[in-house]
mmCIF file with all atom_site columns, all heavy atoms in Angstrom:
data_model
loop_
_atom_site.group_PDB
_atom_site.id
_atom_site.type_symbol
_atom_site.label_atom_id
_atom_site.label_alt_id
_atom_site.label_comp_id
_atom_site.label_asym_id
_atom_site.label_entity_id
_atom_site.label_seq_id
_atom_site.pdbx_PDB_ins_code
_atom_site.Cartn_x
_atom_site.Cartn_y
_atom_site.Cartn_z
_atom_site.occupancy
_atom_site.B_iso_or_equiv
_atom_site.pdbx_formal_charge
_atom_site.auth_seq_id
_atom_site.auth_comp_id
_atom_site.auth_asym_id
_atom_site.auth_atom_id
_atom_site.pdbx_PDB_model_num
ATOM   1   N N   . ALA A 1 35  ? 82.245 -121.739 -0.273  1.00 95.00 ? 125  ALA A N   1
ATOM   2   C CA  . ALA A 1 35  ? 81.212 -122.480 -1.009  1.00 95.00 ? 125  ALA A CA  1
ATOM   3   C C   . ALA A 1 35  ? 81.867 -123.305 -2.117  1.00 95.00 ? 125  ALA A C   1
ATOM   4   O O   . ALA A 1 35  ? 81.440 -124.419 -2.416  1.00 95.00 ? 125  ALA A O   1
ATOM   5   C CB  . ALA A 1 35  ? 80.183 -121.520 -1.593  1.00 95.00 ? 125  ALA A CB  1
ATOM   6   N N   . ARG A 1 38  ? 83.237 -126.496 -0.709  1.00 96.00 ? 128  ARG A N   1
ATOM   7   C CA  . ARG A 1 38  ? 82.155 -127.474 -0.543  1.00 96.00 ? 128  ARG A CA  1
ATOM   8   C C   . ARG A 1 38  ? 81.877 -128.164 -1.890  1.00 96.00 ? 128  ARG A C   1
ATOM   9   O O   . ARG A 1 38  ? 81.739 -129.378 -1.968  1.00 96.00 ? 128  ARG A O   1
ATOM   10  C CB  . ARG A 1 38  ? 80.914 -126.728 -0.088  1.00 96.00 ? 128  ARG A CB  1
ATOM   11  C CG  . ARG A 1 38  ? 79.837 -127.555 0.558   1.00 96.00 ? 128  ARG A CG  1
ATOM   12  C CD  . ARG A 1 38  ? 78.863 -126.541 1.124   1.00 96.00 ? 128  ARG A CD  1
ATOM   13  N NE  . ARG A 1 38  ? 77.701 -127.048 1.777   1.00 96.00 ? 128  ARG A NE  1
ATOM   14  C CZ  . ARG A 1 38  ? 77.674 -127.523 3.009   1.00 96.00 ? 128  ARG A CZ  1
ATOM   15  N NH1 . ARG A 1 38  ? 78.771 -127.612 3.699   1.00 96.00 ? 128  ARG A NH1 1
ATOM   16  N NH2 . ARG A 1 38  ? 76.543 -127.912 3.548   1.00 96.00 ? 128  ARG A NH2 1
ATOM   17  N N   . GLY A 1 39  ? 81.843 -127.355 -2.940  1.00 96.00 ? 129  GLY A N   1
ATOM   18  C CA  . GLY A 1 39  ? 81.620 -127.900 -4.285  1.00 96.00 ? 129  GLY A CA  1
ATOM   19  C C   . GLY A 1 39  ? 82.723 -128.854 -4.698  1.00 96.00 ? 129  GLY A C   1
ATOM   20  O O   . GLY A 1 39  ? 82.462 -129.949 -5.211  1.00 96.00 ? 129  GLY A O   1
ATOM   21  N N   . ASP A 1 163 ? 71.868 -120.521 -3.030  1.00 91.00 ? 253  ASP A N   1
ATOM   22  C CA  . ASP A 1 163 ? 71.527 -120.929 -1.665  1.00 91.00 ? 253  ASP A CA  1
ATOM   23  C C   . ASP A 1 163 ? 70.089 -121.460 -1.607  1.00 91.00 ? 253  ASP A C   1
ATOM   24  O O   . ASP A 1 163 ? 69.216 -121.011 -2.350  1.00 91.00 ? 253  ASP A O   1
ATOM   25  C CB  . ASP A 1 163 ? 71.670 -119.715 -0.749  1.00 91.00 ? 253  ASP A CB  1
ATOM   26  C CG  . ASP A 1 163 ? 71.102 -120.014 0.618   1.00 91.00 ? 253  ASP A CG  1
ATOM   27  O OD1 . ASP A 1 163 ? 71.625 -120.943 1.266   1.00 91.00 ? 253  ASP A OD1 1
ATOM   28  O OD2 . ASP A 1 163 ? 70.123 -119.371 1.013   1.00 91.00 ? 253  ASP A OD2 1
ATOM   29  N N   . GLY A 1 164 ? 69.875 -122.405 -0.694  1.00 92.00 ? 254  GLY A N   1
ATOM   30  C CA  . GLY A 1 164 ? 68.584 -123.066 -0.585  1.00 92.00 ? 254  GLY A CA  1
ATOM   31  C C   . GLY A 1 164 ? 67.404 -122.144 -0.292  1.00 92.00 ? 254  GLY A C   1
ATOM   32  O O   . GLY A 1 164 ? 66.342 -122.280 -0.901  1.00 92.00 ? 254  GLY A O   1
ATOM   33  N N   . ASP A 1 181 ? 74.465 -127.616 -9.374  1.00 98.00 ? 271  ASP A N   1
ATOM   34  C CA  . ASP A 1 181 ? 74.878 -127.797 -7.989  1.00 98.00 ? 271  ASP A CA  1
ATOM   35  C C   . ASP A 1 181 ? 75.582 -129.138 -7.855  1.00 98.00 ? 271  ASP A C   1
ATOM   36  O O   . ASP A 1 181 ? 74.999 -130.182 -8.152  1.00 98.00 ? 271  ASP A O   1
ATOM   37  C CB  . ASP A 1 181 ? 73.661 -127.713 -7.057  1.00 98.00 ? 271  ASP A CB  1
ATOM   38  C CG  . ASP A 1 181 ? 74.068 -127.507 -5.597  1.00 98.00 ? 271  ASP A CG  1
ATOM   39  O OD1 . ASP A 1 181 ? 75.122 -128.043 -5.191  1.00 98.00 ? 271  ASP A OD1 1
ATOM   40  O OD2 . ASP A 1 181 ? 73.339 -126.814 -4.880  1.00 98.00 ? 271  ASP A OD2 1
ATOM   41  N N   . LEU A 1 182 ? 76.833 -129.086 -7.412  1.00 98.00 ? 272  LEU A N   1
ATOM   42  C CA  . LEU A 1 182 ? 77.614 -130.325 -7.292  1.00 98.00 ? 272  LEU A CA  1
ATOM   43  C C   . LEU A 1 182 ? 77.126 -131.221 -6.161  1.00 98.00 ? 272  LEU A C   1
ATOM   44  O O   . LEU A 1 182 ? 77.426 -132.408 -6.134  1.00 98.00 ? 272  LEU A O   1
ATOM   45  C CB  . LEU A 1 182 ? 79.097 -129.975 -7.083  1.00 98.00 ? 272  LEU A CB  1
ATOM   46  C CG  . LEU A 1 182 ? 79.854 -129.637 -8.373  1.00 98.00 ? 272  LEU A CG  1
ATOM   47  C CD1 . LEU A 1 182 ? 81.125 -128.870 -8.061  1.00 98.00 ? 272  LEU A CD1 1
ATOM   48  C CD2 . LEU A 1 182 ? 80.161 -130.885 -9.173  1.00 98.00 ? 272  LEU A CD2 1
ATOM   49  N N   . ARG A 1 187 ? 69.755 -128.218 -0.391  1.00 97.00 ? 277  ARG A N   1
ATOM   50  C CA  . ARG A 1 187 ? 68.344 -127.815 -0.482  1.00 97.00 ? 277  ARG A CA  1
ATOM   51  C C   . ARG A 1 187 ? 68.050 -127.276 -1.878  1.00 97.00 ? 277  ARG A C   1
ATOM   52  O O   . ARG A 1 187 ? 66.985 -127.522 -2.433  1.00 97.00 ? 277  ARG A O   1
ATOM   53  C CB  . ARG A 1 187 ? 68.024 -126.773 0.587   1.00 97.00 ? 277  ARG A CB  1
ATOM   54  C CG  . ARG A 1 187 ? 67.946 -127.397 1.976   1.00 97.00 ? 277  ARG A CG  1
ATOM   55  C CD  . ARG A 1 187 ? 67.769 -126.357 3.029   1.00 97.00 ? 277  ARG A CD  1
ATOM   56  N NE  . ARG A 1 187 ? 68.736 -125.274 2.855   1.00 97.00 ? 277  ARG A NE  1
ATOM   57  C CZ  . ARG A 1 187 ? 68.500 -124.005 3.135   1.00 97.00 ? 277  ARG A CZ  1
ATOM   58  N NH1 . ARG A 1 187 ? 67.343 -123.639 3.608   1.00 97.00 ? 277  ARG A NH1 1
ATOM   59  N NH2 . ARG A 1 187 ? 69.431 -123.088 2.961   1.00 97.00 ? 277  ARG A NH2 1
ATOM   60  N N   . THR A 1 188 ? 69.022 -126.556 -2.459  1.00 97.00 ? 278  THR A N   1
ATOM   61  C CA  . THR A 1 188 ? 68.803 -126.055 -3.812  1.00 97.00 ? 278  THR A CA  1
ATOM   62  C C   . THR A 1 188 ? 68.614 -127.213 -4.786  1.00 97.00 ? 278  THR A C   1
ATOM   63  O O   . THR A 1 188 ? 67.667 -127.232 -5.569  1.00 97.00 ? 278  THR A O   1
ATOM   64  C CB  . THR A 1 188 ? 69.993 -125.170 -4.261  1.00 97.00 ? 278  THR A CB  1
ATOM   65  O OG1 . THR A 1 188 ? 69.941 -123.962 -3.518  1.00 97.00 ? 278  THR A OG1 1
ATOM   66  C CG2 . THR A 1 188 ? 69.934 -124.849 -5.738  1.00 97.00 ? 278  THR A CG2 1
ATOM   67  N N   . ASP A 1 198 ? 76.850 -131.042 -11.664 1.00 98.00 ? 288  ASP A N   1
ATOM   68  C CA  . ASP A 1 198 ? 78.115 -130.975 -12.398 1.00 98.00 ? 288  ASP A CA  1
ATOM   69  C C   . ASP A 1 198 ? 78.796 -129.659 -12.044 1.00 98.00 ? 288  ASP A C   1
ATOM   70  O O   . ASP A 1 198 ? 78.140 -128.701 -11.602 1.00 98.00 ? 288  ASP A O   1
ATOM   71  C CB  . ASP A 1 198 ? 77.853 -131.021 -13.912 1.00 98.00 ? 288  ASP A CB  1
ATOM   72  C CG  . ASP A 1 198 ? 79.100 -131.381 -14.703 1.00 98.00 ? 288  ASP A CG  1
ATOM   73  O OD1 . ASP A 1 198 ? 80.108 -131.797 -14.086 1.00 98.00 ? 288  ASP A OD1 1
ATOM   74  O OD2 . ASP A 1 198 ? 79.081 -131.244 -15.945 1.00 98.00 ? 288  ASP A OD2 1
ATOM   75  N N   . ASN A 1 199 ? 80.104 -129.608 -12.253 1.00 97.00 ? 289  ASN A N   1
ATOM   76  C CA  . ASN A 1 199 ? 80.819 -128.351 -12.070 1.00 97.00 ? 289  ASN A CA  1
ATOM   77  C C   . ASN A 1 199 ? 80.406 -127.404 -13.202 1.00 97.00 ? 289  ASN A C   1
ATOM   78  O O   . ASN A 1 199 ? 80.411 -127.814 -14.367 1.00 97.00 ? 289  ASN A O   1
ATOM   79  C CB  . ASN A 1 199 ? 82.332 -128.618 -12.114 1.00 97.00 ? 289  ASN A CB  1
ATOM   80  C CG  . ASN A 1 199 ? 83.095 -127.494 -11.462 1.00 97.00 ? 289  ASN A CG  1
ATOM   81  O OD1 . ASN A 1 199 ? 82.819 -126.317 -11.713 1.00 97.00 ? 289  ASN A OD1 1
ATOM   82  N ND2 . ASN A 1 199 ? 84.041 -127.846 -10.621 1.00 97.00 ? 289  ASN A ND2 1
ATOM   83  N N   . VAL A 1 200 ? 80.075 -126.162 -12.880 1.00 97.00 ? 290  VAL A N   1
ATOM   84  C CA  . VAL A 1 200 ? 79.666 -125.217 -13.932 1.00 97.00 ? 290  VAL A CA  1
ATOM   85  C C   . VAL A 1 200 ? 80.723 -125.103 -15.023 1.00 97.00 ? 290  VAL A C   1
ATOM   86  O O   . VAL A 1 200 ? 80.400 -124.919 -16.187 1.00 97.00 ? 290  VAL A O   1
ATOM   87  C CB  . VAL A 1 200 ? 79.352 -123.793 -13.406 1.00 97.00 ? 290  VAL A CB  1
ATOM   88  C CG1 . VAL A 1 200 ? 77.972 -123.693 -12.851 1.00 97.00 ? 290  VAL A CG1 1
ATOM   89  C CG2 . VAL A 1 200 ? 80.394 -123.283 -12.468 1.00 97.00 ? 290  VAL A CG2 1
HETATM 90  P P1  . LIG B 2 .   ? 71.834 -125.157 0.247   1.00 61.47 ? 1727 LIG B P1  1
HETATM 91  O O1  . LIG B 2 .   ? 71.711 -123.785 0.822   1.00 61.47 ? 1727 LIG B O1  1
HETATM 92  O O2  . LIG B 2 .   ? 71.236 -125.282 -1.131  1.00 61.47 ? 1727 LIG B O2  1
HETATM 93  O O3  . LIG B 2 .   ? 71.376 -126.256 1.158   1.00 61.47 ? 1727 LIG B O3  1
HETATM 94  P P2  . LIG B 2 .   ? 74.602 -125.144 0.993   1.00 61.47 ? 1727 LIG B P2  1
HETATM 95  O O4  . LIG B 2 .   ? 74.195 -124.234 2.119   1.00 61.47 ? 1727 LIG B O4  1
HETATM 96  O O5  . LIG B 2 .   ? 75.207 -126.464 1.311   1.00 61.47 ? 1727 LIG B O5  1
HETATM 97  O O6  . LIG B 2 .   ? 73.373 -125.412 0.002   1.00 61.47 ? 1727 LIG B O6  1
HETATM 98  P P3  . LIG B 2 .   ? 75.580 -122.888 -0.472  1.00 61.47 ? 1727 LIG B P3  1
HETATM 99  O O7  . LIG B 2 .   ? 76.880 -122.274 -0.122  1.00 61.47 ? 1727 LIG B O7  1
HETATM 100 O O8  . LIG B 2 .   ? 74.335 -122.229 -0.026  1.00 61.47 ? 1727 LIG B O8  1
HETATM 101 O O9  . LIG B 2 .   ? 75.622 -124.415 0.043   1.00 61.47 ? 1727 LIG B O9  1
HETATM 102 O O10 . LIG B 2 .   ? 75.452 -123.086 -2.042  1.00 61.47 ? 1727 LIG B O10 1
HETATM 103 C C1  . LIG B 2 .   ? 76.540 -123.295 -2.856  1.00 61.47 ? 1727 LIG B C1  1
HETATM 104 C C2  . LIG B 2 .   ? 76.372 -124.615 -3.598  1.00 61.47 ? 1727 LIG B C2  1
HETATM 105 O O11 . LIG B 2 .   ? 77.122 -124.531 -4.785  1.00 61.47 ? 1727 LIG B O11 1
HETATM 106 C C3  . LIG B 2 .   ? 76.891 -125.838 -2.830  1.00 61.47 ? 1727 LIG B C3  1
HETATM 107 O O12 . LIG B 2 .   ? 75.936 -126.866 -2.836  1.00 61.47 ? 1727 LIG B O12 1
HETATM 108 C C4  . LIG B 2 .   ? 78.144 -126.281 -3.621  1.00 61.47 ? 1727 LIG B C4  1
HETATM 109 O O13 . LIG B 2 .   ? 78.289 -127.687 -3.620  1.00 61.47 ? 1727 LIG B O13 1
HETATM 110 C C5  . LIG B 2 .   ? 77.835 -125.752 -4.991  1.00 61.47 ? 1727 LIG B C5  1
HETATM 111 N N1  . LIG B 2 .   ? 79.017 -125.418 -5.826  1.00 61.47 ? 1727 LIG B N1  1
HETATM 112 C C6  . LIG B 2 .   ? 80.142 -124.764 -5.442  1.00 61.47 ? 1727 LIG B C6  1
HETATM 113 N N2  . LIG B 2 .   ? 80.995 -124.606 -6.470  1.00 61.47 ? 1727 LIG B N2  1
HETATM 114 C C7  . LIG B 2 .   ? 80.382 -125.151 -7.562  1.00 61.47 ? 1727 LIG B C7  1
HETATM 115 C C8  . LIG B 2 .   ? 80.749 -125.286 -8.929  1.00 61.47 ? 1727 LIG B C8  1
HETATM 116 N N3  . LIG B 2 .   ? 81.921 -124.828 -9.398  1.00 61.47 ? 1727 LIG B N3  1
HETATM 117 N N4  . LIG B 2 .   ? 79.868 -125.896 -9.762  1.00 61.47 ? 1727 LIG B N4  1
HETATM 118 C C9  . LIG B 2 .   ? 78.681 -126.363 -9.311  1.00 61.47 ? 1727 LIG B C9  1
HETATM 119 N N5  . LIG B 2 .   ? 78.282 -126.274 -8.017  1.00 61.47 ? 1727 LIG B N5  1
HETATM 120 C C10 . LIG B 2 .   ? 79.110 -125.680 -7.142  1.00 61.47 ? 1727 LIG B C10 1
#
Side-chain angles (χ1 to χ4, degrees):
R128 199 170 178 79
D253 170 61
D271 196 326
L272 279 161
R277 286 174 311 146
T278 289
D288 198 11
N289 200 314
V290 278

